Amino acid sequence: MMIAWTPDLTVTQQLLLQAIESSFDKQVSFLADFVRIPSLRFQEGPAQDFIAAALHERGYEIDEWQVHLGDLEPLPGFGPIHGDFSRARTVVGTHRPSVTRGRSLILQGHLDVVPTGPLDMWTHPPFEPAIIDGWMYGRGAGDMKSGTVAAIFALDALRHAGFEPAARIHLQSVIEEESTGLGALSTLQRGYRADLALLPEPSGHTVNRAQIGVLWFRIAVKGKPTHVAVAQEGSNAIMAAHDVIRALEKLEADWNAQAANDPVYGDVPHPLNFNPGRIAGGDWASSVPSWCYVDCRMGVLPGQDLEAAKSQIEACVAAASRDHPFLSNNPPEVVWNGFQAEGYVLGPETEPGLEALRRSHAAVFGEGAELAERKMTALTDTRFYGLYYGIPAFCYGAQAENIHGFDERVNLESLLRTTEVLALFIADWCGLNRLSS
C-alpha cells in the first residue's frame, strides 16, 4: 500500500508511517488470529490470554486481575450482571518512559463480542476471518478488535522508528463493553488514570461528540397454564408479553417526541430506540405458557435521570397490565439486568486532545481534511472516564460495517490509516524520546 504523505509531514512522521506500512501485513495477520478466538460473553479468557502474551512479548509492565463485582457495585455507572462472572479478567500493559516530558494516555479496547446468530446466515464462518476486496470479515473484526490491534501496532511503530512515548501509557484490554461496561470500570477501580483516554472504536475516522445512555431490563410475565384444549380458561404469558411490548413502544415514541426539544439530540431523528432483543417462554407446545421473559434495551438522553427513567418504564409496564384479566392481579416484574448507563457529551476539557487528533488526522488524510463529528444513538465506555473520573475521553477508529450483524467486516485500508493517525497522535500528545541505539 502506498502512503499518501502530505508535503508538510516531518521526517519523524514519515519514519512512523514507514514503520506502520512495513509491518502492516503482520498487523493484519495478528488481527486475523485475534478474530479467530470466539470471545463471547463469559468466554473471554483465551482472548485475554492472547493480548496479555502480546503485551508481555513487547516488554510492557503487565497487570491482570480477576474482576470482582463486589468491588464495583458501589461505583457510579455500575450495571448488574446475571450470569457466571467468575472468570472475568482485565489486562493492562503499561509503558513507563525513561524520561517523562509529555501527557499521559489510556488506550482502551474491548474484546468481548456479541453473539453471532444463526451460522448459516453468514457468508463466511464468523470466527474464520476472510479477506475479500480489502475487507476482513469476522465477528469482532470491526467492533472492536481492529482498534485494539491498531493501538498495539501504532506503539510498535514508534519503537521500530527509534522512539518511545515520553509519557506513561496504559494499554487496557477489557470485557463487558457490550453489556455493562464493567471491564472499563474495573480499571478505574484499580486506580488507572491518565490525562486522556482514547478508545479506538470503529467510528469511520470520526469523533463521537455525544452518546446516549442505555437501560437494560427483563420483563418477567406470568400466565395461567392450562391444556391448550381449553386455552380460554388459562392466560397466555407470551401473548401478554406482546401487549406489554406494545405499551413500551408507545413510551419510546413519547420519549422521542420529547427528544425533539433536546439541546444535544434535537436534530437527530429518533435518537432513542427500544428493542425487545430476546424472548423465552413456555414449556410445552400443548400447554398455555405460564411464564415469559423478554430482555429489553431502552435508550435515554444525556442528562436524563436514570432513576426517573426506570420509574417511567415500570409505570408503563404496570399500566399495560392494569386492564388485563390476569396481569391485573399478577403484574409483571421488571428486573434491571445490565446497562445502567448515562449519556455522555464531550465538554471543553476534551479540546486539547481533539486538537492533537485533528492535527494527526490532517497529517494522514491531507491538509484541510476535516475531523468530522457525530452524535451516536448507541454508547461506549468513554462515559466512565468523562462523567465520573474527570478524564477527557473520546473514540476514533476505522471504518467497519455490519457491526452486531451478519458478515461484520472492517476495511483494511481504513485500519492502516487509523494506525497511522494513532501513531502520530501518540507522538503529538505524549511527546517522543529517542531510544538509544
Side-chain angles (χ1 to χ4, degrees), residues 45-373:
Q48 283 291 43
D49 292 340
F50 178 84
I51 291 299
L55 297 180
H56 184 270
E57 178 186 346
R58 287 163 168 79
Y60 292 108
E61 174 187 308
I62 305 300
D63 183 19
E64 53 181 314
W65 66 95
Q66 184 176 351
V67 182
H68 297 287
L69 291 180
D71 295 334
L72 306 181
E73 193 167 0
L75 302 180
F78 176 83
I81 287 180
H82 293 250
D84 181 7
F85 201 62
S86 62
R87 293 168 291 176
R89 286 165 46 225
T90 302
V91 173
V92 177
T94 297
H95 159 78
R96 299 189 189 276
S98 55
V99 178
T100 298
R101 298 185 296 106
R103 296 165 289 191
S104 57
L105 178 64
I106 289 170
L107 294 168
Q108 180 183 293
H110 71 86
L111 52 71
D112 53 309
V113 300
V114 301
T116 62
L119 298 182
D120 62 357
M121 297 186 73
W122 285 73
T123 306
H124 311 280
F127 298 114
E128 295 179 16
I131 297 176
I132 300 172
D133 297 330
W135 294 80
M136 180 183 290
Y137 290 76
R139 173 60 85 228
D143 186 17
M144 65 163 293
K145 292 182 177 181
S146 58
T148 299
V149 172
I152 291 172
F153 277 77
L155 286 166
D156 285 355
L158 299 181
R159 187 182 301 112
H160 295 158
F163 301 96
E164 68 162 5
R168 173 174 41 86
I169 293 180
H170 300 303
L171 266 169
Q172 301 182 170
S173 177
V174 303
I175 64 171
E176 275 293 309
E177 192 272 349
E178 299 287 7
S179 43
T180 59
L182 296 190
L185 189 58
S186 76
T187 67
L188 292 157
Q189 186 273 333
R190 188 81 162 182
Y192 285 99
R193 304 288 188 273
D195 295 316
L196 180 75
L198 192 158
L199 282 61
E201 292 273 7
S203 66
H205 305 292
T206 67
V207 167
N208 301 324
R209 170 59 62 176
Q211 62 184 44
I212 63 159
V214 165
L215 293 171
W216 272 20
F217 57 97
R218 167 174 287 179
I219 310 165
V221 183
K222 299 175 183 177
K224 180 182 177 183
T226 65
H227 192 290
V228 73
V230 288
Q232 65 278 7
E233 296 179 6
S235 180
N236 188 309
I238 294 174
M239 297 303 292
H242 184 267
D243 295 334
V244 176
I245 289 171
R246 288 287 173 259
L248 288 166
E249 288 179 332
K250 174 63 166 58
L251 180 64
E252 173 196 28
D254 292 344
W255 282 9
N256 277 290
Q258 297 168 25
N261 298 316
D262 185 75
V264 176
Y265 276 92
D267 60 345
V268 177
H270 206 285
L272 304 179
N273 292 300
F274 164 66
N275 185 54
R278 182 175 180 272
I279 187 168
D283 301 298
W284 190 251
S286 287
S287 297
V288 172
S290 62
W291 65 279
C292 181
Y293 294 155
V294 185
D295 291 326
C296 302
R297 178 264 205 199
M298 179 76 90
V300 296
L301 291 171
Q304 189 173 351
D305 181 82
L306 293 190
E307 292 306 314
K310 289 160 73 172
S311 294
Q312 290 184 59
I313 290 171
E314 290 171 347
C316 176
V317 172
S321 308
R322 201 165 293 136
D323 296 329
H324 191 278
F326 183 80
L327 296 185
S328 58
N329 293 314
N330 301 273
E333 181 183 7
V334 178
V335 180
W336 303 100
N337 63 346
F339 279 124
Q340 310 290 293
E342 297 181 86
Y344 172 52
V345 181
L346 300 189
E349 70 280 357
T350 60
E351 279 307 309
L354 289 174
E355 277 301 314
L357 185 62
R358 291 183 187 109
R359 289 190 292 269
S360 303
H361 179 88
V364 169
F365 287 95
E367 198 63 38
E370 181 181 357
L371 178 62
E373 296 184 353

